[in-house]
Amino acid sequence: MAEHVYPPVIKTAKGVFRALNIKFRLEGTEQIPRTGGAVLVSNHVSYLDFIFAGLAVHPAGRLARFMAKKEIFDNRIAGPLMRGMHHIPVDREAGASSYAAALKALKGGEIVGVFAEATISRSFTVKEIKSGAVRMAVASKTPLVPIAIWGPQRLWTKGRKRRLFQRNVPVTILIGEPMHPKRGDDYEAVTAELHRRMSELLEKAQREYPDVPKANERWWQPAHLGGTAPTPEEAEKLDLKEAEDRKAARAARELDGGS
């Protein structure tokens, strides 16, 4: 597969990180398979997570193909980059094609990145995850590699203004031990174990994070650590309200188009 876009994008991103003095803590890179397919499963705290999750596999000499919502590919700027890096568009109304594309990539020896929570977690804890990542790993006979990212929410996350050029922000990326689910396993039980491992990695990243938020910055800290981010229960209500508003807006557009 020709790689004309991905390497220069990585080089540019690293240059920006150096200029902003982003302070990385990257641990567990030995857990990334040097060859063959793998499902990389990350938590989701910001709009920049695919960049940082991609860095997790780079020391192993690998590139990750992320599953991302179709709307990003429709963007006139981001779309050509996403396609050039061979990421995988996900249409939530027709998910079979994206699942098939991910399986093809995995069987072809690629690392496929998945944000199993589907959307950014407003509570900055690991939301409920579906069994899709486990099923992909089983169907492709590839390992599941859990990772946790912490810090990018300070740059750009849901409900907050972008602060992309903020300097000296620490970013933690922790990579966990691979899991090897197989046919006949209880997929829901494996998914629960994956959730537990991701949560454990995230809590470690949060508790060992070098920065403590100032009084007016406590929004980026989860409630259970004294921050003002919504609790998981509050976040779920906000997500439901957002989904209802999105559905109503879509229905209104369809009605206008049909009139």
Side-chain angles (χ1 to χ4, degrees):
M1 186 184 294
E3 299 292 352
H4 302 301
V5 177
Y6 219 144
V9 167
I10 292 173
K11 185 176 180 179
T12 300
K14 286 186 172 181
V16 172
F17 297 152
R18 282 194 299 270
L20 295 175
N21 196 30
I22 300 294
K23 303 172 182 179
F24 284 101
R25 174 190 174 190
L26 178 56
E27 292 184 4
T29 56
E30 71 279 1
Q31 306 290 2
I32 301 297
R34 266 45 183 177
T35 60
V39 182
L40 188 75
V41 190
S42 175
N43 67 310
H44 204 3
V45 295
S46 84
Y47 292 110
L48 305 173
D49 290 340
F50 75 97
I51 298 174
F52 295 105
L55 291 178
V57 308
H58 199 241
R62 307 297 304 273
L63 298 173
R65 316 299 176 181
F66 286 94
M67 301 185 74
K69 60 184 181 180
K70 186 179 78 69
E71 288 79 1
I72 300 176
F73 291 79
D74 294 337
N75 183 278
R76 64 185 182 86
I77 296 174
L81 290 174
M82 296 294 281
R83 286 187 289 273
M85 290 185 280
H86 307 292
H87 294 313
I88 302 167
V90 177
D91 185 347
R92 293 176 182 173
E93 302 298 320
S97 61
S98 57
Y99 183 82
L103 283 186
K104 182 179 178 181
L106 288 165
K107 291 177 180 178
E110 299 280 1
I111 292 179
V112 172
V114 177
F115 295 104
E117 298 163 281
T119 60
I120 290 172
S121 171
R122 300 174 192 262
S123 67
F124 303 136
T125 61
V126 181
K127 297 170 58 175
E128 178 185 352
I129 62 176
K130 304 296 184 183
S131 62
V134 174
R135 294 177 187 277
M136 281 198 301
V138 171
S140 58
K141 298 180 180 178
T142 56
L144 278 170
V145 183
I147 72 171
I149 300 172
W150 186 244
Q153 76 278 9
R154 298 174 62 183
L155 301 171
W156 188 17
T157 193
K158 186 177 286 189
R160 291 282 168 177
K161 290 183 179 180
R162 283 176 286 188
R163 301 172 67 183
L164 298 177
F165 299 106
Q166 190 178 178
R167 294 178 56 80
N168 306 317
V169 173
V171 171
T172 300
I173 306 166
L174 303 182
I175 306 164
E177 184 178 344
M179 301 170 62
H180 299 273
K182 59 185 183 302
R183 292 195 186 279
D185 287 349
D186 182 334
Y187 292 171
E188 297 305 323
V190 177
T191 300
E193 174 62 14
L194 174 62
H195 185 281
R196 186 193 69 77
R197 294 191 187 196
M198 291 171 63
S199 297
E200 189 175 81
L201 288 169
L202 180 58
E203 291 224 0
K204 176 179 171 65
Q206 291 168 336
R207 293 185 184 280
E208 297 177 0
Y209 193 67
D211 279 7
V212 176
K214 299 175 182 177
N216 64 339
E217 292 277 306
R218 289 170 56 225
W219 61 265
W220 58 259
Q221 191 83 305
H224 72 276
L225 292 179
T228 58
T231 65
E233 295 76 20
E234 291 167 341
E236 184 178 6
K237 290 178 181 178
L238 290 169
D239 287 344
L240 288 172
K241 176 67 165 56
E242 182 182 64
E244 290 170 359
D245 291 345
R246 190 165 53 240
K247 184 178 179 181
R250 185 166 58 248
R253 287 196 300 271
E254 292 173 354
L255 184 61
D256 289 341
S259 60

